[in-house]
Structure formats: C-alpha cells, structure tokens
C-alpha cells in the first residue's frame, strides 16, 4: 500500500492532493496511520503499531482500519495495487 | 543587484474588478522580473479601470479607442502614445481587441513596437464557434456544441440535446438554460449584445481546471501551469484557485501547442468529469486573470513572453511548485476626484 506521489501531508494534519486540488483534514490517529503508510509499513505492521499503542478491541480496530483504507482508495489517494 | 535592461511595455485589460482582466496580473509578473526593469504603460478603454489608478504598478495610463472602432483609430492612437513613450512591446490581454492588434502588428513593428500574438487564422480556428470542429479533427474531447443562427431551430433542440444546456455569446457570456423557453430568452439577449451565432453547448458536470500556457510559435512550450478553481462567483469567475501537479494536464497543453504552433499566452478551460475525462470547454487566446498565481508557482510567463518578443528566444520552464493558491479580494483604492477628472478629460493618467 502506497500513498500516491502527488499527495502532500502537512504538519497540521491536512492531506493535499496536488493532482486534483482536493484537501482533506485528518484526525490525529488518521494522521499517524498515514505516516505509517508513508513509512512503507504493511497493513499488518500498522495494525500491530496501533494495537501496541492504544487500548482498543482488536476486532473493532481491524474493522475501522479497513474502513479507513477503503476510504483512502475511494478518495483516490492510494496507488492502485498490482 | 545585476544591471537590468530597461524596456517600455504597454499592457491592456486593467479592469481588476469582479470580472477581472489579466492586465494587472501580467504587470505584477513583469514587476517581479530580475532581468528587466520595466516602464509600464497602461492602455485602458474606460476611466474606472482600477489598474490605471495603481500607480505603484502602472507608470502612466492612456485611453485607447474601443475595439469596435477598428484597427485604424487604434493604430493612430498607439503611434501618438509611442511618440511620447517609445514603447518596446505591447501585450494585449482582451479577447475582443486581439484581431485589431494582430492586424496592425506589422505597422507597429515598423515603428519599433513588438507584439507576440497568434495569427488571425489560428485565432479563428480556435474561437468558440470553431472549437467543436477543431477538437473533433484533433481527437480532443469537448462538449457537443451547436451554432444557432435563428430562433426557429430552438424548437427542435431537444432532439439533439438533454437539458440543461449552456447558451453562450459568440464573444462573451454564458447562461445555463433549463428548457427551450429559457434558451429563447438567452438567445435574444446574447444575439442582441454579441451578434450571431449563439452557441448551444452540452452541460458537463465536473471539476473546473484551467491551464495557463505560453507557446513560442514554433510548437514549443515555454510554460504551462494547471490550476483548479476552488471558488467560483455567480458570474462564473474564479475567486480562488490552487496550482495542480497532474502531469496529464501538462502533456495535453504541450500537445495543444505542438498541434497549433501557438504563439503567445493562452488559457485552456477544462472540466474533469467524474469518470476522469478531460473535456475542453474553451480556449482563451491570452493569459488568464490569475496569471500571477502561475508566476508565484515559479513560471513567470509574461516575462518569458517579453524575452520571446525582444530576444526571439527564452529557456522553457520545466518545473513549478504545486499547491500555490490564490484568493482574490475586494479592496477600496482611494484616489482623488482630480485624478478621475484628469483621466476623463485628457485621456492620460
């Protein structure tokens, strides 16, 4: 999973898609996940980082995480996978 | 600071109001030049064009005859101005005046005044009435367009178009019509104001993307900056926008320039549809009013146009910074009635 080349993420937690001009604001955890994607972490690795850091039910976290990934795909922010 | 070459440049379209002309943006770009020091001569049609009163941008402004007066009175006035100012170059920025300037360009050149404009043929080929055909010939997507020369044809319009449609004047103005009655109303209004034909254009929903560009006249691209309009006024004017990085937009601009050998500044107006198709709505044969945003993004195309006109060459821009954004604002320029009186009576400010 990779963030598209023309996507910039500001320190204030806003995604700017330079190809379309769209902007989206991120809450702090969404920002953390985006930074993990940018650091080339796999979905499993991201899951573990979040589980280690937050007191959260594994099943619920997994569901939320996949919703978030699918939202990123819908918004055309991720490179399409081979 | 390096020794900058001094040039006198005349610029039109100083109407920096709610339907802004590109003149002030062009001048701001020229003022940013590190290679030239410019004396800027404003050329204005009306006494309340704000640029004429922006004395830190425009050194002196002269009134010129309206485009409808034709090319001869314009040439006469410009040669008078030249006898005082010794102009090196004129950058016209209004669609409606371009034909006059192209017609007199060789006479101006004989008096040492350069221009850098497309040919009349190219202008005609790409104007609103011929754009549909041009796009079809060159495999470019554009909304279906019909030229209306009489009101009777409107009765059968629904055989060819779904409503709403856009009704457009041959030079300026466009209205969205929801049914045939509205088309008739707008047809009458636009044909009375701008003449025939009136254009009927399929309505395409999507994101408005505009591209400012500069062609060298030999098929080469000197600059190209795409921008998405973020806020559009009810007059259809972009009030804010952001510079985009999409390489597809640069490629289509390069293709446009190499196909047409475009000479001078221009603006391509596109809509990107929800299925990611780019439909060309219009080509404006001059820089857009937001050209200073392109300069701020790293491509000073007005300055590059000066280099093309004066030196016959310039280095093409390859890069720019996306994410540069402009927000237009309204601002009261305070002047004195004496300035207005002087401009109204003497035609110079």
């Amino acid at each position: 999973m990779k963030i598209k080349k023309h996507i910039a993420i500001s320190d204030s937690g806003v995604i700017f898609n330079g190809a379309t001009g769209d902007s989206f604001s991120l809450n702090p955890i969404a920002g953390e996940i985006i930074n993990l994607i940018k650091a080339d972490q796999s979905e499993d690795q991201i899951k573990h980082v979040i589980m280690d850091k937050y007191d959260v039910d594994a099943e619920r976290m997994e569901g939320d995480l996949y919703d978030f990934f699918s939202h990123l795909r819908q918004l055309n922010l991720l490179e399409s996978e081979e | 600071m390096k020794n900058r070459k001094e040039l006198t440049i005349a610029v039109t379209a100083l109407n920096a109001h709610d339907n802004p002309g590109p003149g002030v943006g062009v001048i701001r770009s020229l003022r940013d030049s590190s290679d030239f020091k410019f004396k800027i001569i404003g050329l204005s049609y009306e006494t309340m064009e704000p640029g004429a009163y922006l004395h830190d941008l425009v050194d002196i402004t002269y009134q010129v005859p309206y485009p409808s007066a034709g090319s001869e009175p314009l040439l006469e006035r410009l040669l008078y101005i030249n006898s005082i100012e010794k102009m090196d170059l004129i950058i016209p920025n209004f669609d409606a005046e371009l034909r006059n300037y192209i017609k007199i360009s060789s006479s101006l050149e004989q008096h040492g005044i350069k221009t850098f404009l497309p040919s009349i043929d190219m202008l005609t080929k790409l104007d609103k009435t011929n754009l549909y055909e041009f796009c079809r010939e060159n495999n470019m997507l554009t909304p279906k367009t019909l030229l209306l020369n009489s009101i009777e044809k409107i009765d059968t319009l629904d055989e060819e178009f779904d409503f709403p449609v856009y009704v457009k004047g041959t030079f300026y103005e466009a209205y969205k019509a929801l049914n045939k009655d509205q088309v008739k109303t707008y047809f009458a209004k636009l044909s009375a104001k701008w003449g025939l034909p009136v254009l009927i254009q399929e309505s395409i929903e999507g994101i408005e993307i505009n591209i400012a560009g500069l062609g060298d006249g030999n098929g080469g691209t000197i600059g190209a900056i795409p921008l998405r309009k973020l806020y559009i006024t009810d007059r259809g004017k972009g009030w804010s926008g952001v510079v985009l990085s999409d390489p597809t937009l640069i490629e289509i601009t390069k293709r446009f320039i190499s196909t047409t050998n475009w000479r001078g500044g221009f603006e391509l107006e596109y809509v990107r549809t929800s299925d990611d198709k780019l439909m060309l709505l219009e080509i404006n044969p001059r820089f857009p009013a937001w050209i200073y945003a392109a300069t701020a993004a790293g491509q000073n195309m007005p300055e590059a146009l000066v280099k093309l006109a004066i030196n016959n060459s310039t280095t093409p821009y390859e890069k720019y910074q996306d994410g540069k954004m402009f927000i237009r604002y309204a601002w009261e320029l305070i002047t004195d009635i004496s300035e207005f009186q002087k401009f109204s009576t003497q035609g110079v400010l």
Side-chain angles (χ1 to χ4, degrees):
Chain A
M1 190 165 36
K2 270 197 184 324
I3 301 281
K4 279 194 168 175
K5 205 169 78 182
H6 301 291
I7 308 293
I9 298 146
S10 74
D11 295 341
S12 54
V14 175
I15 293 184
F16 171 66
N17 184 343
T20 63
D22 289 321
S23 292
F24 307 97
S25 63
L26 300 167
N27 66 28
I29 295 184
E32 266 184 67
I33 297 169
I34 290 280
N35 283 324
L36 289 167
I37 300 172
K38 277 179 73 184
D40 285 335
Q41 301 286 297
S42 69
E43 291 182 25
D44 273 350
Q45 286 169 317
I46 293 170
K47 221 175 343 181
H48 284 119
V49 171
I50 301 292
M51 284 295 290
D52 290 346
K53 195 165 173 189
Y54 298 99
D55 179 20
V56 59
D57 172 71
E59 204 174 322
R60 166 131 190 236
M61 190 277 290
E62 207 166 302
D64 287 350
L65 197 60
Y66 286 120
D67 278 351
F68 181 61
F69 291 151
S70 120
H71 201 44
L72 292 178
R73 280 189 195 95
Q74 275 169 23
L75 295 174
N76 211 13
L77 300 172
L78 297 180
E79 292 287 6
S80 52
E81 281 155 14
E82 297 295 312
Chain B
M1 192 181 214
K2 70 177 175 182
N3 207 3
R4 297 189 296 167
K5 188 176 178 181
E6 292 189 19
L7 291 173
T8 301
I9 312 277
V11 178
T12 71
L14 308 179
N15 52 324
H17 48 56
D18 65 335
N19 181 13
V24 168
V26 167
I27 295 166
R28 285 183 77 190
S29 301
L30 295 177
R31 291 290 186 213
D32 278 3
S33 172
S34 52
D35 292 335
F36 300 101
K37 189 177 176 200
F38 294 111
K39 179 174 186 184
I40 300 292
I41 312 296
L43 301 176
S44 105
Y45 294 106
E46 296 186 351
T47 47
M48 285 213 204
E49 291 185 24
Y53 299 86
L54 290 167
H55 300 309
D56 51 343
L57 285 177
V58 183
D59 293 296
I60 186 166
T61 301
Y62 292 85
Q63 280 192 287
V64 288
Y66 281 105
S68 54
S71 55
E72 282 306 314
L74 176 67
L75 179 62
E76 198 180 312
R77 179 66 172 155
L78 291 174
L79 293 183
Y80 166 75
I81 296 167
N82 195 48
S83 70
I84 303 164
E85 303 294 348
K86 299 276 172 276
M87 297 181 284
D88 295 294
L89 169 71
I90 301 178
I91 307 178
N93 294 296
F94 270 130
D95 306 29
E97 69 188 4
L98 288 181
R99 283 171 191 273
N100 284 341
Y101 276 98
I102 296 167
K103 275 185 200 158
I104 62 172
S105 58
S106 51
S107 305
L108 291 172
E109 178 106 39
Q110 283 167 17
H111 288 84
I113 310 165
K114 307 257 190 190
T115 53
F116 198 76
L117 297 166
S119 65
I120 292 265
D121 281 354
M122 189 45 70
L123 209 59
T124 306
K125 210 171 180 180
L126 297 175
D127 74 17
K128 282 186 194 179
T129 57
N130 295 315
L131 185 65
Y132 184 60
E133 208 47 48
F134 171 82
C135 287
R136 271 176 36 141
E137 282 168 12
N138 291 285
N139 295 320
M140 295 158 84
L141 295 174
T142 191
K144 187 177 172 184
T145 305
L146 179 74
L147 307 185
L148 274 187
N149 283 297
S150 72
I151 204 158
E152 290 80 31
K153 190 94 177 27
I154 296 172
D155 288 327
T156 54
L157 211 55
D158 48 3
E159 291 169 16
E160 295 181 64
F161 287 89
D162 291 327
F163 284 94
V165 294
Y166 279 99
V167 189
K168 291 182 156 187
T170 196
F171 286 114
Y172 298 104
E173 284 187 54
Y175 297 95
K176 199 174 196 173
L178 302 175
N179 52 48
K180 286 189 277 189
D181 289 335
Q182 285 189 352
V183 174
K184 283 179 184 170
T185 306
Y186 295 135
F187 177 89
K189 186 174 177 169
L190 291 168
S191 58
K193 198 165 176 184
W194 303 113
L196 292 171
V198 168
L199 286 82
I200 304 297
Q201 194 171 69
E202 175 188 10
S203 166
I204 303 288
E205 296 300 322
I207 294 166
E208 274 197 46
I209 293 170
N210 295 350
I211 305 166
L214 175 64
D216 67 2
N218 298 310
T221 299
I222 301 301
I225 298 277
L227 173 134
R228 175 176 172 181
K229 286 182 182 176
L230 294 176
Y231 181 83
I232 299 170
T233 67
D234 51 11
R235 295 188 70 174
K237 304 297 163 190
W239 209 250
S240 78
V242 64
V243 171
L244 303 179
S245 60
D246 189 346
T248 316
L249 299 168
I250 305 302
E251 275 317 303
I252 57 173
T253 309
K254 286 184 172 172
R255 210 181 102 204
F256 164 74
I257 291 175
S258 65
T259 306
T260 58
N261 288 333
W262 190 264
R263 188 170 190 265
F266 64 88
E267 180 188 27
L268 304 177
E269 292 189 2
Y270 278 96
V271 164
R272 175 173 262 150
T273 62
S274 54
D275 54 349
D276 214 24
K277 284 189 180 126
L278 283 163
M279 307 279 277
L280 183 59
L281 294 185
E282 221 163 90
I283 298 170
N284 295 316
R286 37 82 191 156
F287 289 127
W290 55 268
I291 190 67
Y292 190 70
T295 301
Q299 297 194 1
N300 190 336
M301 287 186 258
E303 185 197 27
L305 183 146
V306 172
K307 288 178 182 169
L308 284 172
I310 304 291
N311 305 336
N312 295 318
S313 71
T314 186
T315 311
Y317 286 111
E318 299 292 344
K319 291 180 182 167
Y320 61 91
Q321 193 186 342
D322 65 306
K324 281 284 171 196
M325 192 175 160
F326 83 84
I327 303 171
R328 203 162 269 152
Y329 65 103
W331 181 63
E332 290 76 34
L333 187 159
I334 306 301
T335 184
D336 193 86
I337 191 70
S338 60
E339 291 239 299
F340 174 72
Q341 286 164 345
K342 184 183 173 208
F343 199 26
S344 305
T345 54
Q346 298 172 19
V348 59
L349 184 63

